[in-house]
Amino acid sequence: MSSASTPILPALSVAMPVRNGAPYLAESIASILSQTVTDFEFVILDDASTDDSRAIVRDWARRDGRIRLIESATPLGLAGSADRVVREARAPICARMDADDISHPERLRAELDVLERHPDASLVGTLWEGIDPHGRAVRPRDRWRLFRPSLLAPFPHGSIMFRREWYLGLGGYRPASEYWEDVDFYLRMAARGPIMVLSDALYRYRFHAAATTAKAGQAHLAAVNLMYECADRAAMGEDYTPLLNGHPADANATIDPRALRLCGSARLWAGEKPAILRDLHKMYGRAPSFAFVHAFVVAVWGEVSPSSLRWLLRGVIRARDAVAGRRFRNGSVVRWVPRSHRPTEKAGHSRAS
């Protein structure tokens, strides 16, 4: 076979699923095409959008040959569309992108550098700042979250880059963890190799009412509740897979305060009321805890004066980020340890070159 007939595979694939993302899609695509790294393919899966998303991607694809559009005739869902677009990618390294967010021009180069310098790392993400539907900064960077093991990663799902072969070896995103397929993926990937985090905010995560994390529907709330139940089992060294097999999230179950707070906080940063006050009664029966109090405060204060609650939270985040900055300077690369994975040695950090 001649060399001319042998396809040249890209070194990097950027994978982005989109469903009805027209309002912010062009800005998201432009942020990837403007990266300082230029040698990549940009695989975009349109998940049966009913708005102008597919037409927008087609227009961009005509202008830039790096874009490859995959069209799904029927909706695959969050986990299904994310898995499909990664499997369509061809490069050994795959970066994710979400259709409503914005990547800093140096994001891909910085993450590639981390994976090259840490060949045992399974995945790298970056810290972020939150923006509202109009693109205004609303939630500051938070380096404090790098201090300790936790369930929720300090980086957004759309900011990650990982080794595609390892992803496939783990079976990819699992449909049974719909709405929290990212957390399930991180927990399994952390067992494969260290997860690293760039302490710079190289990603802008957009809060808006249509975003998955801001949805207040009962199915979504029940799924997030299941996420915390599974993570707690994992933290005790137990396999939570049986909870995913044939046991759909129970919309009538007692709600974990952490799940209620997470859904409410996302809506709060989007510029709206948390809209979880009506669900507070679902926490009853849970033992009093900091999470219980936190959820109650977000629900009540956010209903009365969401703007003042956002102002307070911004001040707290800025203060603790400044404190964390004494340990994690700009450019640091930090190992993030999910709460369920506690290595015997302390997770280290290094200065990025």
Side-chain angles (χ1 to χ4, degrees), residues 43-47 54 68-72 84-85 88:
V43 187
I44 303 177
L45 168 72
D46 180 76
D47 190 27
R54 188 168 297 186
R68 182 158 57 94
L69 172 61
I70 309 296
E71 301 181 4
S72 176
R84 168 79 185 278
V85 73
E88 291 282 353

Side-chain angles (χ1 to χ4, degrees), residues 144-276:
W144 174 84
R145 296 187 60 193
L146 298 173
F147 269 116
R148 58 189 178 84
S150 62
L151 167 63
L152 298 181
F155 47 82
H157 187 196
S159 79
I160 66 174
M161 181 182 289
F162 51 89
R163 306 185 193 280
R164 184 171 171 273
E165 182 180 357
W166 296 10
Y167 170 89
L168 296 175
L170 291 173
Y173 295 110
R174 300 195 286 194
S177 58
E178 185 82 357
Y179 292 118
W180 57 283
E181 67 278 358
D182 54 341
V183 175
D184 176 50
F185 175 49
Y186 303 155
L187 291 174
R188 290 179 288 134
M189 205 66 158
R192 180 65 177 80
I195 291 179
M196 312 302 289
V197 188
L198 286 157
S199 64
D200 293 327
L202 301 181
Y203 195 83
R204 306 189 84 197
Y205 178 87
R206 194 184 303 270
F207 291 100
H208 58 95
T212 301
T213 51
K215 291 178 180 176
Q218 296 305 303
H220 177 246
L221 184 58
V224 176
N225 198 54
L226 177 62
M227 174 188 77
Y228 280 108
E229 183 179 357
C230 290
D232 287 342
R233 287 203 177 189
M236 295 185 290
E238 300 177 7
D239 179 16
Y240 61 84
T241 304
L243 291 177
L244 304 180
N245 297 332
H247 298 286
D250 183 1
N252 297 315
T254 300
I255 296 296
D256 189 308
R258 295 170 296 178
L260 204 60
R261 181 189 65 199
L262 181 63
C263 294
S265 294
R267 291 182 63 85
L268 181 70
W269 290 117
E272 303 185 2
K273 294 181 178 181
I276 57 174

